[in-house]
Amino acid sequence: VQLQASGGGLVEAGTSLTLSCTASGSTFSTWSVGWFRQLPGKEREFVAAISWKGGRTYYSDSLKGRFTISRDDEKNTLYLQMNSLKPEDTAVYYCVADRFSQGLASIKYDYWGQGTQVTVSS
């Protein structure tokens, strides 16, 4: 599966932004998909994921409540709605995919898309 993330940009603190990730090359509905991010000078960290069986969602504890993950299997697209953005959300956001359907907050994902930069100004 090939993943293409988009929707990043420069926004002000307190605003919202929605990232998209379009998949191609395989049956999107049979993949669990998610988002990671890499803050400047930090390692990549898990943001959220949604399974291909039942659409179970997983969130980083620190982001739950502000970020919402969803998927549209008809459009082969994954979304990340980010609300009340903070300067510390500034990062490169990556979409990921894997065949696993459980424990999605802690698995090692097989497929990664290129990142999209999100910059939140104060």
Side-chain angles (χ1 to χ4, degrees):
V1 63
Q2 292 81 45
L3 304 169
Q4 179 79 33
S6 62
L10 173 63
V11 297
E12 293 184 352
T15 62
S16 300
L17 190 66
T18 300
L19 304 182
S20 300
C21 176
T22 301
S24 61
S26 185
T27 306
F28 181 72
S29 61
T30 64
W31 291 88
S32 293
V33 286
W35 295 93
F36 277 68
R37 70 181 186 180
Q38 187 166 21
L39 280 65
K42 304 289 186 180
E43 294 186 354
R44 291 180 184 180
E45 62 181 25
F46 174 78
V47 173
I50 183 166
S51 70
W52 67 272
K53 286 185 178 179
R56 182 176 178 179
T57 56
Y58 300 75
Y59 291 95
S60 164
D61 288 342
S62 64
L63 300 175
K64 193 172 185 177
R66 288 197 301 124
F67 288 16
T68 302
I69 191 170
S70 62
R71 64 188 296 164
D72 186 337
D73 289 345
E74 294 295 322
K75 295 182 179 180
N76 288 356
T77 303
L78 170 70
Y79 302 98
L80 183 68
Q81 172 73 37
M82 305 183 292
N83 297 327
S84 302
L85 283 163
K86 305 174 182 180
E88 50 264 43
D89 294 319
T90 295
V92 178
Y93 285 74
Y94 298 88
C95 52
V96 296
D98 200 275
R99 290 293 192 184
F100 272 54
S101 62
Q102 299 179 18
L104 298 182
S106 57
I107 67 170
K108 291 184 178 181
Y109 286 80
D110 286 337
Y111 296 91
W112 291 70
Q114 97 296 347
T116 185
Q117 175 71 47
V118 174
T119 303
V120 184
S121 63
S122 57

